[in-house]
Every structure is written in C-alpha cells, then in structure tokens.
Amino acid sequence: MLGVIAKQLKSHPALIPLFVFIGGGAIMSIAYLSRLALRNPDVSWDRKNNPEPWNNMKPDQQYKLFTVNMDYSKLKKEGPDF
C-alpha cells in the first residue's frame, strides 16, 4: 500500500501537501482525543480505586487545555467537602 502511495506521489507531486496536511490533522486529532481520555477528570478508567475522580480535583488545579484570563492559583473552594 505504501508503494502505491509513493508511486502516486512521484507521478503527481502536487499531492504531497495534501498528504502532509491530512496526516498532520489526523495526528493532532488523535493526540487531542488521547489527552481528553487520559487527563480529563470527567473520565474514570478505574472504577474500583477511584470511582469519582472529579471529587479529588483541587480548586486551584487546572485541567483545561486553554483558558483566557484565568489564574487558577487565586481560586478558592466554593462548595462543601463530601
């Protein structure tokens, strides 16, 4: 299969940017989805040891990828302890 792709790229060099951008987009989307699956507190992979990981979040802990004008170190807890 890679031989067929290489042969097409040699005969049609204008397709090279298409393959580069499609491949880069696929890699970035896989990286973002894996980050969501592994780092997000809403996802629980281990039900026995940590069934509710969102309760272990500290109020000053940042888990979002990008926040605008938010300083997590100055936040205080707003709710009760359960």
Side-chain angles (χ1 to χ4, degrees):
M1 183 166 144
L2 291 176
V4 174
I5 293 173
K7 190 185 292 186
Q8 291 232 342
L9 288 178
K10 286 180 184 176
S11 63
H12 302 289
L15 292 177
I16 293 173
L18 177 71
F19 278 96
V20 168
F21 285 109
I22 296 292
I27 289 171
M28 286 192 296
S29 65
I30 289 170
Y32 181 68
L33 287 175
S34 63
R35 183 194 179 278
L36 281 178
L38 298 174
R39 303 285 295 169
N40 198 349
D42 295 333
V43 178
S44 177
W45 291 95
D46 188 11
R47 290 188 217 162
K48 292 180 182 176
N49 296 329
N50 194 8
E52 297 176 344
W54 50 88
N55 286 338
N56 296 334
M57 294 290 295
K58 298 174 187 164
D60 61 346
Q61 186 175 359
Q62 178 183 359
Y63 67 93
K64 291 185 176 183
L65 181 64
F66 180 73
T67 56
V68 179
N69 299 330
M70 182 65 119
D71 189 11
Y72 282 91
S73 63
K74 296 180 181 177
L75 289 178
K76 294 181 181 173
K77 190 170 186 177
E78 297 176 2
D81 289 328
F82 291 107

